């Protein structure tokens, strides 16, 4: 399994498991739990969730899936912006810990920017870190100006990741935000790597995949996995689809293939507003 180094030097899997919309349907619960456990068996030991997903139902499902295997998992969850205050963060963290049935979160993220000052959120994150409730903290959906502001705050440079919308059709961050993160060795966690299952239906990507003996989803994921400092977190609640996604780890794209994808899905020609879902 390819790994990515956090600023602390700790290495985490470059391929993780997203859980947005997982846990919402009771009829699918057994298959979703089995899918997460199969991911762990395959070495995809990073699981990403959030208190927002299903109003906590995704965290509860993850807690059930990792029961008895907690030490195998690098667990990521997120706090709502409206809970990101000095008092709100520890309370939200305790609720997440209870739902996840664990005593610690490996990476705790601010889900997106809200009205609470960054300094207050960072202060609360640092306090949780000192208390052993979280091991690392980071952000999600923060653009370059936000990142510069965050980084200047006391404790802000301890940032472990920025989780961002990034795939072949959403490349705007490559102009300025991604290079800024790379300079500081802050990993980028790419969510919606296959554009909520829409990319596999793209005729250009389908043609590329057919020419190179892979599925469109594998091509999209392999493109992200070819990049240094990028963690990819595709979401699926089906073991069959997980197996397909994991196949991307065996698809090493060469320079000619990467150039072909750049032609089909051009990189940005200038700064663009941050995209998010």
């Amino acid at each position: 399994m390819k790994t990515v180094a956090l600023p602390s030097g700790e290495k985490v899997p470059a391929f993780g498991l997203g859980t947005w919309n997982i846990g919402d349907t009771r009829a699918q619960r057994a298959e979703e739990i089995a899918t997460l456990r199969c991911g762990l068996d395959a070495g995809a030991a990073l699981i990403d969730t959030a208190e927002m997903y299903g109003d906590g139902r995704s965290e509860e499902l993850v807690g059930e899936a990792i029961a008895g295997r907690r030490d195998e998992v690098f667990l990521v969850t997120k706090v709502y912006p409206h809970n990101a205050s000095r008092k709100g963060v520890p309370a939200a963290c305790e609720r997440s810990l209870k739902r996840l049935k664990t005593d610690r979160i490996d990476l705790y993220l601010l889900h997106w920017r809200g009205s609470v000052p960054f300094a207050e959120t960072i202060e609360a994150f640092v306090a949780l870190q000192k208390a052993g409730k979280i091991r690392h903290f980071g952000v999600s959906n923060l653009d370059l100006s936000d990142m510069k502001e965050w980084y200047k705050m006391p404790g802000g440079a301890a940032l472990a990741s920025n989780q961002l919308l990034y795939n072949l059709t959403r490349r705007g961050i490559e102009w300025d935000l991604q290079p800024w993160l790379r300079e500081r060795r802050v990993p980028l966690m790419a969510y919606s790597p296959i554009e909520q299952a829409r990319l596999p239906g793209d005729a250009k990507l389908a043609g590329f995949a057919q020419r190179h003996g892979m599925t469109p989803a594998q091509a999209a994921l392999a493109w992200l996995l070819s990049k240094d400092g990028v963690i990819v977190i595709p979401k699926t609640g089906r073991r069959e689809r997980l197996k397909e996604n994991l196949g991307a780890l065996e698809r090493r794209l060469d320079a000619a293939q990467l150039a072909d994808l750049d032609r089909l899905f051009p990189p940005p020609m200038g700064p663009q507003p941050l995209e998010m879902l």
Side-chain angles (χ1 to χ4, degrees):
M1 177 69 66
K2 179 184 176 182
T3 60
V4 170
L6 300 180
S8 66
E10 181 177 350
K11 292 183 178 180
V12 300
F15 186 106
L17 306 171
T19 64
W20 179 79
N21 244 7
I22 284 181
D24 285 351
T25 306
R26 185 166 294 277
Q28 298 174 354
R29 188 178 186 87
E31 177 63 15
E32 290 168 344
I33 289 172
T35 300
L36 290 175
R37 289 175 177 167
C38 283
L40 294 182
D41 292 341
L46 186 150
I47 299 179
D48 174 79
T49 188
E51 66 171 342
M52 183 187 81
Y53 299 166
D55 289 328
R57 288 188 295 276
S58 290
E59 288 185 328
E60 289 173 351
L61 184 139
V62 170
E64 187 173 343
I66 67 174
R69 305 184 66 173
R70 175 64 184 92
D71 291 344
E72 299 176 40
V73 183
F74 188 88
L75 192 56
V76 184
T77 193
K78 310 177 198 74
V79 60
Y80 267 123
H82 61 256
N83 286 335
S85 63
R86 288 185 187 88
K87 292 183 178 180
V89 167
C93 182
E94 288 297 335
R95 292 192 295 270
S96 288
L97 289 169
K98 183 177 180 180
R99 288 189 289 262
L100 291 162
K101 296 182 175 64
T102 185
D103 61 350
R104 69 205 184 276
I105 293 163
D106 295 298
L107 177 58
Y108 201 31
L109 307 178
L110 171 65
H111 208 150
W112 66 88
R113 182 167 195 170
S115 60
V116 177
F118 285 158
E120 196 168 325
T121 303
I122 294 169
E123 181 182 326
F125 280 168
V126 170
L128 284 175
Q129 198 173 38
K130 290 179 178 177
K133 301 288 186 177
I134 66 174
R135 297 181 53 241
H136 307 279
F137 61 83
V139 297
S140 179
N141 296 304
L142 263 60
D143 64 17
L144 182 58
S145 61
D146 290 332
M147 290 304 310
K148 290 179 177 178
E149 181 182 342
W150 176 284
Y151 228 67
K152 290 190 296 185
M153 298 293 155
L159 179 88
S161 183
N162 189 358
Q163 186 176 126
L164 298 161
L165 176 60
Y166 186 36
N167 59 51
L168 279 166
T169 62
R170 309 271 197 166
R171 299 183 62 174
I173 61 172
E174 292 178 4
W175 183 260
D176 48 15
L177 178 53
Q178 188 178 22
W180 189 92
L181 292 170
R182 190 181 296 120
E183 287 174 7
R184 288 154 185 81
R185 298 182 180 179
V186 175
L188 188 164
M189 197 176 297
Y191 75 82
S192 267
I194 54 174
E195 190 64 15
Q196 296 184 325
R198 290 188 288 270
L199 255 174
D202 185 287
K204 295 179 294 183
L205 185 60
F208 172 90
Q210 186 175 26
R211 290 194 299 276
H212 298 288
M214 61 186 82
T215 69
Q218 287 171 345
L221 295 172
W223 177 76
L224 285 165
L225 288 165
S226 72
K227 299 181 177 298
D228 292 335
V230 173
I231 299 165
V232 58
I233 48 171
K235 184 273 292 186
T236 182
R238 293 166 47 205
R239 283 172 283 184
E240 180 182 357
R241 182 58 56 82
L242 173 65
K243 183 178 179 181
E244 177 189 353
N245 290 345
L246 285 166
L249 292 161
E250 302 169 5
R251 309 292 182 176
R252 302 295 176 89
L253 302 182
D254 60 30
Q257 291 170 321
L258 292 171
D260 196 12
L261 286 172
D262 278 344
R263 179 181 59 81
L264 296 171
F265 302 94
M269 301 301 290
Q272 298 181 12
L274 183 69
E275 296 182 285
M276 56 186 287
L277 294 174

